[in-house]
Amino acid sequence: MPAITVDGLTKSYGQTLALDDLSFEVGDGEVFGFLGPNGAGKSTTINVLLDFVRPTAGRVEVLGLDAQTHSREIRARTGVLPEGYRTYDRLTARQHLEFAIDSKGVDADPERLLERVGIADAIDKKAGGYSKGMAQRLMLAMALVGEPDLLILDEPSTGLDPNGAREMREIVREENERGATVFFSSHIMEQVESVCDRVGILRDGEMVAVDSVAGLRESVSDGTVLRVTVDRLDDEAIRSVRSLPDVSEATVENEAPPTLVIRVDGSKTDVLSALERQGLEVRDFSTSEASLDDVFRSYTTEVNAR
Amino acid sequence: MSAETVDRGTSAPSSSINPESVGAVAKKDFQDAVRSWLFWGLSVFFFTLLVATTGAVAYFGEDLAAQGATTDVLVGFVSEITRLIIPLIALVLGWKAIAGERESGSIKILLSLPHSRKDVLLGKLIGRSAVLSLSLTLGFALAAVVVAVLMGGFDVADYVGLLGVSIVYGIAYTSIAVALSSLTRSTTIAGAAMFGVFVLFYVVWNSLSTAFRLLADREVLFFDTVSYTTEFQGQEVTVERLPEWAYFVINLDPGEAYGRVLTLVTDVDTIQLQSELDAQMFGGELPFFLQDWFALLILVFWTVVPVAVALYRFDRVDL
């Protein structure tokens, strides 16, 4: 049974379509990276999983239960690190954790939990005086209360320094080894690639790729990334480059100077001459092996040529 | 689902009310609010209010003391002030209860945990009511010592009655405040709603009595006056009064109900009411909805109805 099933999920706010017929599954015991640029709809999806917002259409199941009618039971078995939260300034870390422990009706030691996230020394300090990173660690500790079957972490590295982000990934790994499914969102590829079994890339409310990290890498491993600086951007030219048999992706990376990123398996000269045939002047170009970041960029950057 | 994964109460539908959940939310909200300057400010305020009133009564009212009517006067004075002040304080305390958490995002902490939205709403109402009640009780209790010294003893029953009715009155307004706070995500709109409630009951409702009488004098629509006879200086005279429903509407004001319940609970006769009612006006007996015990129901109404509407509505919105 999958830990999360999203089927045809659509959510619109008035005229704005936040999620458009989104479907994906997260397997039991898997670490799933939910990737996409800011505003792609990651938080909206998580808000639906937690029943903070109601879908316009579609079906969502978490831990085999309907996300709307069984939300309480889902949340009893889920640890959540929300995005855009605010801690209770006048309450200490201990009180925050005691609240989570009371709420879940479990037995847990606030001190142990705070040790795990590395802020045990601040246990009796009021959260109002915490830095963003400390607040984030406190929220992670709250999410760990009661050994949840599922962890939903929304942009967990927010406010953490590189060291903190590494510790966070370490905890994700430990929780996964314990048996928990981990679903976490990020807008930064490198944060997910080292811990995730699979990655889903969301763009404009639609899932544009779901694969293992290895698979995503595979899909571009024998490709070369060609960066071309031209004198101007032209829709027609990009379309003609895309139509070349060896080109798998062509996107605009930059508008000033106008730069195109093109993933190509074969001849680079073909690409350059195709551009010139369309009347563009090639001012500079460089090549590199495709990194996961390029994959992410190619999936999430809108072609925006004039 | 296997039985072992089902925690206490969590197999209930998501929109249900779980008393333990409500308790956890109320406890957290109380812990949070009790540490705010607002709470301590309130307690000091009530204390000062009572002590100042007592001082004034003790100083100016020596002849009253001689008549043994000092507690009466004190309760009368204080209730006039608390009638105006308690709603203000409840509205200020409840204003951000839900809207503030939605605006700041801290409600995501509450609702990431296995609480239903109804649990959150009720927990908030209980938490805020507890804060208001505690600050009233603290203020009254501290002041009791001073009052006893200044007045040389006082009527405990009347004093406790005033406190008890004040708490019930405060909870009614807290319910109105928390309910309105749950209808919006903007604390600005919530604040405007609190101001609206204030205007409604302080300005609009308080002028209803006069407005009805003016309309009745001009015989507008159904504002017919009713004539009744009464004895005035030994003579039978005929007087006009408003129709019964007009008195009913005027008495729906929580402040009016507060006054009536106070006259019921304490035996103080100095409490002033918007609509003085006299059994004679109604041919010997007051209609049931104008009797003092009904005022208690009106306070219960103002506690239950706003929160019931909010429970229904808050379950159906996007956060």
Side-chain angles (χ1 to χ4, degrees), chain A residues 11 54 71 75 88 103, chain B residues 8 14 101 115 117 315 318:
Chain A
K11 174 67 186 176
R54 276 57 194 266
S71 181
R75 283 176 285 131
Y88 295 99
S103 298
Chain B
R8 51 114 184 143
S14 291
E101 292 227 11
H115 304 298
R117 298 191 187 182
D315 243 352
D318 286 350

Side-chain angles (χ1 to χ4, degrees), chain B residues 154-171:
Chain B
F154 66 110
D155 188 338
V156 176
D158 279 356
Y159 194 74
V160 170
L162 174 64
L163 172 61
V165 179
S166 296
I167 288 175
V168 173
Y169 181 49
I171 291 174

Side-chain angles (χ1 to χ4, degrees), chain A residues 1-5 24-34 49-50 61-64 74 77-81 104 140 143-144 146-154 171-185 195-198:
Chain A
M1 179 190 68
I4 297 175
T5 309
F24 66 93
E25 271 189 7
V26 175
D28 193 25
E30 157 169 79
V31 180
F32 188 90
F34 193 40
L49 295 181
L50 297 171
E61 277 184 13
V62 181
L63 300 170
I74 289 168
R77 295 168 52 199
T78 304
V80 183
L81 169 52
K104 288 203 161 177
L140 180 59
L144 298 177
E147 305 206 329
D149 298 338
L150 171 66
L151 278 170
I152 294 180
L153 314 174
D154 198 354
I171 288 174
V172 165
R173 236 173 252 124
E174 287 164 17
E175 287 296 297
N176 184 236
E177 271 158 32
R178 174 176 66 73
T181 305
V182 184
F183 179 83
F184 81 94
S185 78
V195 287
C196 289
D197 300 316
R198 281 199 313 146

